[in-house]
Amino acid sequence: MPTLDRAHILPEPELPNSAELLAEGRQLARTVTVGSCPFLTAYDVRSESAYKRRRAAEEQTMLHAQIGYRSLAKSRRAYAEIYERLTAAGYRVDRYGICLDWSMGYPAAERAHRPRGTGLILERAEDFAALTRAAPVAPHFGDFVIGTPAAVENTAAALAAGATSIGNIGQYFTFRMPGWGDDVRTTAETVRAMALCAAQPVEILIHSNLDDGFAALFCDLACGIGAVLIERHIVEHLIGGRVSHCYGHTFSDPLTRLAFQRALARVTDTPGSMVYGNTTIFVAGEVENYANLASYLLVDIVAQRTRPTGHGLNPVPVTEALHIPEIDEVVDAHLFANRLIQRAAGFEPMFDLQAADRVADRLVEGGRRFRDRVLSGLAEAGIDVADPFELLLALRRVGAKRLEELFGPGEPRAGRLRGRAPVVRATTVAALEDRGGALVASLPPPDREAIRGADLAVCVTCTDVHEYGKILVEAVLRRLGVRVVDAGVSADPDAVVAQAVAGRADAIAVSTYSGVALYYLQALRREMAAASLDLPIFIGGKLNQIVERAPEGGSGAPGGSSSRPVDVGDRLHDLGAVVCRQVEDMVGELLAMARERGQ
Ligand code: B12
């Protein structure tokens, strides 16, 4: 396998200087400081980490609710109402994860004409404080603040609003906003923003959701612990801040979920931000989702009781897979969680913590090996791994898959995912591969052979960080003998068209989840017309968008003021796309194409 080379990773003759970026961030800390907010006042603490340490010492289980609606008024109502209703029921919500829209990552001055997703947009710095003023609950600005081109301005607004937990380093590594290609600026702003946090007189938790970052894509869970160690190296050793980790979305196996928490406790003593709900196991049925909720929360409750790490636990509303949960649904999930915490009191003796610790041993050992190999491999390639800017940008550009292939701690094994036997198998990517295999195996053999014999090629892409739909589609195509032309992740339509042309694709497959389905398809159609390319388009995922009013002149730019996204499947169909609610819909079309070719 070819090794890494600086000339390919960082070809720019000149890059921003880390020492200057750090100095600028520190300088800014003279004027930008942590403002007051009801949470800090009510609990008489200077930061959330002090609160977390206190609660952990009292052996209290903390809870995290995720909120963020397009409308600020509704988000403020949620901030107040969830707190009031849980307090009235005799319970407590410790923190709110404020789910900003991804378009908040564009610098404010450039936001007006950019696309938008489905989340909360705070137009002015005062809006951050208007939200945190609404109740004595710790504000956690965990998305699209640090790690984006708007990192400094958003971090300053979050600090001034009294937030002392701000993220997200995980997103820095994987997220790219549509039309934004300047990763040098994104990285420079990220380093400045982290220096601004590190220079505060109170402890700021620089949050990283591992699942938002590389961890969701690693096939070896030990690489997730490796990512924690690499991020500690950057944030704590090179920048002087404190990094606080979140995991959970993709941790579906109870034993490894528990083991990961215990491994994390061994490699860092900074309080964790939250353990995210296991969202990837949620299905359409609300009743079934109560079982899903209980299955992962019980593990998390026992984990915190037996080894408190300061994380808030996140009960995911049972409607999460269907829509952005309403206020009532968030309250219900928290009532459920509080009751479960009470009922879980007698469960600890039934857990085999030694079994979890044996897995944790392997995670920690493998994670350390991964960190060491990544850092020495990058150093050999000519990257200065003591320079936070260089190291961040190099990691982002090399990406999770290649890092794991080159430096994963597992033994090399031909034919395995990433070419290695994992130290501890991560469930998600492997499960998608298995699902793809099962789907193909279930097809009638003549259909499989017809597609196999047709020599088809499909250009596959996804519009945002959600990559699982793409991985599943690729797994199915590969097993059907269809050549995959990979147009990458978070790819802009012009790049997809270029890739489809270069790879002589017979169709384009788009997976999309970020609430821009219509906008994206319209842009893709324009690019295809410009390149005189006429191919079938398969589109699947979360096919919705906030549409303010019927788009005029066919521009389709996403609207702003209405609050809920709507399904745009019919409109995608009218634009000539094959709307795929499941992968089988694409397979049927491929079969028709294959038969046509065979005639
Ligand atoms: C996993 C997940 C994540 C992971 C993604 C990991 C990764 N690297 O891929 C992580 C944690 C990173 C994530 C992040 C976010 N997420 Co998310 N995420 C999900 C989740 C739980 C599952 C989506 C998924 O991957 N499913 C797996 C696929 C294989 O299954 P499926 O969706 O059922 O798809 C089927 C078909 O649609 C089809 N299919 C899919 N694509 C295609 C394409 C083609 C061509 C074909 C033929 C078929 C096809 O295949 C499947 C089988 O039939 C959904 C909620 C849900 N349960 O759907 C939210 C969800 C998609 N996320 C959401 C949001 C808002 C976000 C964030 C913006 C939140 C935030 N503010 O931070 C961030 C994104 C930014 C970032 N960098 O962090 C929202 C989207 C809202 C909307 N559009 O209305 C959802 C719906 C959650 C919610 N209820 O609010 N997320």
Side-chain angles (χ1 to χ4, degrees):
M1 182 177 299
T3 49
L4 299 175
D5 178 3
R6 181 188 175 96
H8 292 126
I9 307 171
L10 303 178
E12 292 87 348
E14 234 177 290
L15 286 168
N17 177 292
S18 274
E20 283 170 19
L21 296 171
L22 294 174
E24 285 161 13
R26 288 180 195 130
Q27 174 72 21
L28 195 58
R30 295 191 182 166
T31 48
V32 175
T33 51
V34 177
S36 75
C37 71
F39 166 76
L40 296 175
T41 315
Y43 293 105
D44 192 22
V45 285
R46 296 182 71 207
S47 70
E48 195 195 349
S49 75
Y51 174 85
K52 279 175 173 294
R53 288 180 208 278
R54 186 202 291 170
R55 288 275 182 225
E58 292 165 357
E59 297 182 0
Q60 296 271 329
T61 308
M62 287 168 268
L63 287 170
H64 168 107
Q66 193 70 7
I67 55 168
Y69 303 98
R70 167 55 56 81
S71 131
L72 173 59
K74 184 170 176 185
S75 301
R76 291 195 69 213
R77 202 164 75 237
Y79 208 113
E81 202 179 314
I82 295 166
Y83 165 77
E84 282 158 13
R85 288 173 57 184
L86 291 171
T87 306
Y91 299 134
R92 191 186 62 240
V93 56
D94 298 274
R95 65 198 319 267
Y96 286 137
I98 297 157
C99 200
L100 292 184
D101 188 57
W102 50 257
S103 66
M104 286 292 292
Y106 295 116
E110 298 177 37
R111 226 171 268 156
H113 303 292
R114 299 280 191 175
R116 297 164 165 197
T118 54
L120 171 64
I121 296 175
L122 300 176
E123 308 278 0
R124 303 158 311 156
E126 306 89 86
D127 294 344
F128 285 66
L131 196 58
T132 62
R133 262 202 311 274
V137 179
H140 163 85
F141 282 91
D143 293 301
F144 306 112
V145 180
I146 291 175
T148 73
V152 173
E153 56 192 281
N154 287 351
T155 300
L159 289 169
T164 54
S165 173
I166 301 174
N168 174 333
I169 308 297
Q171 283 179 346
Y172 163 77
F173 288 118
T174 53
F175 196 74
R176 176 183 177 277
M177 277 124 36
W180 188 273
D182 190 353
D183 56 0
V184 170
R185 182 162 162 202
T186 305
T187 311
E189 292 301 302
T190 297
V191 173
R192 273 199 203 98
M194 286 201 270
L196 167 61
C197 291
Q200 294 296 315
V202 303
E203 188 173 272
I204 304 297
L205 298 176
I206 297 177
H207 153 86
S208 174
N209 182 343
L210 293 164
D211 286 305
D212 278 342
F214 288 161
L217 299 169
F218 287 141
C219 296
D220 189 340
L221 218 51
C223 297
I225 291 294
V228 169
L229 294 167
I230 292 169
E231 291 176 14
R232 282 201 73 192
H233 168 69
I234 298 170
V235 179
E236 304 195 350
H237 304 152
L238 303 181
I239 299 182
R242 296 302 290 259
V243 59
S244 175
H245 285 99
C246 160
Y247 66 94
H249 296 264
T250 65
F251 289 67
S252 309
D253 170 58
L255 178 63
T256 47
R257 191 173 174 100
L258 180 61
F260 196 86
Q261 189 261 1
R262 296 173 79 82
L264 198 54
R266 285 200 227 159
V267 298
T268 174
D269 59 0
T270 307
S273 42
M274 70 277 197
V275 182
Y276 214 92
N278 187 185
T279 50
T280 53
I281 58 171
F282 275 51
V283 293
E286 296 181 24
V287 176
E288 289 98 317
N289 282 339
Y290 274 110
N292 285 328
L293 189 55
S295 71
Y296 79 77
L297 266 182
L298 189 58
V299 174
D300 297 344
I301 292 165
V302 169
Q304 289 304 315
R305 283 230 176 105
T306 53
R307 186 144 303 169
T309 46
H311 289 93
L313 305 188
N314 168 229
V316 170
V318 292
T319 50
E320 141 87 21
L322 300 176
H323 56 242
I324 297 166
E326 288 297 331
I327 296 173
D328 281 349
E329 295 165 345
V330 177
V331 171
D332 284 353
H334 276 255
L335 293 174
F336 179 92
N338 275 285
R339 184 67 181 144
L340 191 65
I341 290 170
Q342 292 169 348
R343 294 296 309 146
F347 274 72
E348 280 118 85
M350 292 190 280
F351 275 71
D352 184 354
L353 295 176
Q354 283 178 355
D357 282 334
R358 283 192 294 275
V359 180
D361 289 343
R362 282 155 50 209
L363 288 172
V364 170
E365 189 279 326
R368 289 191 174 129
R369 227 153 10 101
F370 182 59
R371 173 203 52 198
D372 294 345
R373 292 169 60 155
V374 166
L375 294 181
S376 61
L378 288 175
E380 275 168 35
I383 307 296
D384 181 355
V385 296
D387 179 308
F389 177 93
E390 277 206 7
L391 182 52
L392 279 165
L393 188 56
L395 289 166
R396 181 183 156 107
R397 287 187 179 173
V398 175
K401 290 176 200 161
R402 198 124 161 68
L403 287 171
E404 188 170 19
E405 279 165 6
L406 288 169
F407 308 121
E411 288 299 316
R413 290 276 159 77
R416 299 291 295 268
L417 283 172
R418 311 288 147 78
R420 295 180 180 278
V423 172
V424 177
R425 187 176 182 262
T427 39
T428 313
V429 176
L432 289 169
E433 291 287 336
D434 293 348
R435 194 166 153 191
L439 191 155
V440 172
S442 73
L443 295 175
D447 292 2
R448 276 201 307 257
E449 291 318 313
I451 297 175
R452 245 186 218 124
D455 191 25
L456 292 168
V458 176
C459 176
V460 190
T461 191
C462 57
T463 66
D464 54 273
V465 72
H466 295 91
E467 199 175 339
Y468 294 156
K470 176 173 182 281
I471 293 172
L472 179 60
V473 165
E474 288 172 349
V476 169
L477 291 175
R478 268 189 274 105
R479 285 172 174 81
L480 284 171
V482 175
R483 184 163 55 84
V484 172
V485 178
D486 187 357
V489 180
S490 302
D492 287 333
D494 56 339
V496 174
V497 170
Q499 200 62 30
V501 172
R504 297 187 314 283
D506 299 297
I508 296 177
V510 180
S511 182
T512 180
Y513 283 86
S514 55
V516 294
L518 186 58
Y519 172 80
Y520 194 89
L521 183 65
Q522 285 165 330
L524 182 63
R525 278 257 173 256
R526 278 196 297 276
E527 294 295 337
M528 287 172 74
S532 305
L533 187 68
D534 183 19
L535 296 178
I537 301 172
F538 308 123
I539 188 162
K542 191 84 183 164
L543 300 177
N544 68 354
Q545 187 164 311
I546 290 181
V547 186
E548 199 172 10
R549 65 182 85 86
E552 284 160 26
S555 85
S561 61
S562 76
S563 193
R564 289 196 74 150
V566 293
D567 187 278
V568 291
D570 289 348
R571 296 169 73 171
L572 300 174
H573 174 79
D574 292 346
L575 279 168
V578 180
V579 175
C580 303
R581 300 294 177 180
Q582 46 181 1
V583 180
E584 287 84 340
D585 299 340
M586 177 187 69
V587 175
E589 293 293 321
L590 289 174
L591 184 59
M593 287 167 72
R595 292 212 169 115
E596 207 168 291
R597 215 169 248 206
Q599 278 167 5

